[in-house]
mmCIF file of all heavy atoms in Angstrom:
data_model
loop_
_atom_site.group_PDB
_atom_site.id
_atom_site.type_symbol
_atom_site.label_atom_id
_atom_site.label_comp_id
_atom_site.label_asym_id
_atom_site.label_seq_id
_atom_site.Cartn_x
_atom_site.Cartn_y
_atom_site.Cartn_z
ATOM 1 N N ALA S 134 27.041 14.650 -26.268
ATOM 2 C CA ALA S 134 28.373 14.056 -26.318
ATOM 3 C C ALA S 134 28.670 13.519 -27.711
ATOM 4 O O ALA S 134 29.766 13.717 -28.247
ATOM 5 C CB ALA S 134 28.492 12.944 -25.282
ATOM 6 N N GLY S 135 27.695 12.843 -28.321
ATOM 7 C CA GLY S 135 27.903 12.288 -29.647
ATOM 8 C C GLY S 135 28.145 13.344 -30.709
ATOM 9 O O GLY S 135 28.857 13.103 -31.692
ATOM 10 N N ALA S 136 27.572 14.522 -30.525
ATOM 11 C CA ALA S 136 27.733 15.612 -31.499
ATOM 12 C C ALA S 136 28.924 16.505 -31.187
ATOM 13 O O ALA S 136 29.245 17.407 -31.973
ATOM 14 C CB ALA S 136 26.454 16.456 -31.533
ATOM 15 N N SER S 137 29.598 16.274 -30.065
ATOM 16 C CA SER S 137 30.691 17.145 -29.650
ATOM 17 C C SER S 137 31.915 16.961 -30.540
ATOM 18 O O SER S 137 32.097 15.923 -31.161
ATOM 19 C CB SER S 137 31.063 16.880 -28.190
ATOM 20 O OG SER S 137 31.573 15.564 -28.040
ATOM 21 N N LEU S 138 32.748 17.994 -30.548
ATOM 22 C CA LEU S 138 33.960 17.982 -31.381
ATOM 23 C C LEU S 138 35.187 18.259 -30.526
ATOM 24 O O LEU S 138 35.907 19.239 -30.726
ATOM 25 C CB LEU S 138 33.838 19.015 -32.506
ATOM 26 C CG LEU S 138 32.696 18.802 -33.505
ATOM 27 C CD1 LEU S 138 32.599 19.965 -34.475
ATOM 28 C CD2 LEU S 138 32.893 17.482 -34.256
ATOM 29 N N GLY S 139 35.414 17.409 -29.556
ATOM 30 C CA GLY S 139 36.603 17.548 -28.721
ATOM 31 C C GLY S 139 36.352 18.149 -27.363
ATOM 32 O O GLY S 139 37.220 18.101 -26.492
ATOM 33 N N SER S 140 35.168 18.726 -27.158
ATOM 34 C CA SER S 140 34.809 19.263 -25.847
ATOM 35 C C SER S 140 33.297 19.268 -25.737
ATOM 36 O O SER S 140 32.581 19.209 -26.738
ATOM 37 C CB SER S 140 35.367 20.681 -25.643
ATOM 38 O OG SER S 140 34.827 21.572 -26.607
ATOM 39 N N LEU S 141 32.821 19.349 -24.496
ATOM 40 C CA LEU S 141 31.400 19.263 -24.215
ATOM 41 C C LEU S 141 31.037 20.386 -23.251
ATOM 42 O O LEU S 141 31.807 20.685 -22.345
ATOM 43 C CB LEU S 141 31.090 17.908 -23.565
ATOM 44 C CG LEU S 141 29.639 17.587 -23.212
ATOM 45 C CD1 LEU S 141 28.825 17.347 -24.481
ATOM 46 C CD2 LEU S 141 29.575 16.346 -22.310
ATOM 47 N N PRO S 142 29.887 21.044 -23.437
ATOM 48 C CA PRO S 142 29.473 22.033 -22.439
ATOM 49 C C PRO S 142 29.560 21.456 -21.035
ATOM 50 O O PRO S 142 29.171 20.314 -20.788
ATOM 51 C CB PRO S 142 28.029 22.358 -22.847
ATOM 52 C CG PRO S 142 28.013 22.161 -24.333
ATOM 53 C CD PRO S 142 28.922 20.959 -24.561
ATOM 54 N N PHE S 143 30.070 22.237 -20.133
ATOM 55 C CA PHE S 143 30.414 21.760 -18.802
ATOM 56 C C PHE S 143 29.196 21.283 -18.012
ATOM 57 O O PHE S 143 29.259 20.278 -17.297
ATOM 58 C CB PHE S 143 31.118 22.889 -18.039
ATOM 59 C CG PHE S 143 31.683 22.502 -16.709
ATOM 60 C CD1 PHE S 143 32.640 21.508 -16.603
ATOM 61 C CD2 PHE S 143 31.263 23.145 -15.547
ATOM 62 C CE1 PHE S 143 33.179 21.166 -15.374
ATOM 63 C CE2 PHE S 143 31.794 22.809 -14.312
ATOM 64 C CZ PHE S 143 32.758 21.817 -14.220
ATOM 65 N N GLU S 144 28.073 21.977 -18.158
ATOM 66 C CA GLU S 144 26.923 21.667 -17.317
ATOM 67 C C GLU S 144 26.369 20.262 -17.536
ATOM 68 O O GLU S 144 26.154 19.532 -16.553
ATOM 69 C CB GLU S 144 25.824 22.716 -17.486
ATOM 70 C CG GLU S 144 24.704 22.546 -16.478
ATOM 71 C CD GLU S 144 23.838 23.774 -16.342
ATOM 72 O OE1 GLU S 144 23.982 24.699 -17.156
ATOM 73 O OE2 GLU S 144 23.009 23.807 -15.418
ATOM 74 N N PRO S 145 26.101 19.805 -18.774
ATOM 75 C CA PRO S 145 25.609 18.421 -18.904
ATOM 76 C C PRO S 145 26.618 17.377 -18.448
ATOM 77 O O PRO S 145 26.233 16.305 -17.973
ATOM 78 C CB PRO S 145 25.296 18.293 -20.399
ATOM 79 C CG PRO S 145 26.030 19.389 -21.063
ATOM 80 C CD PRO S 145 26.097 20.496 -20.069
#
Side-chain angles (χ1 to χ4, degrees):
S137 65
L138 298 174
S140 62
L141 181 71
F143 187 60
E144 189 163 10

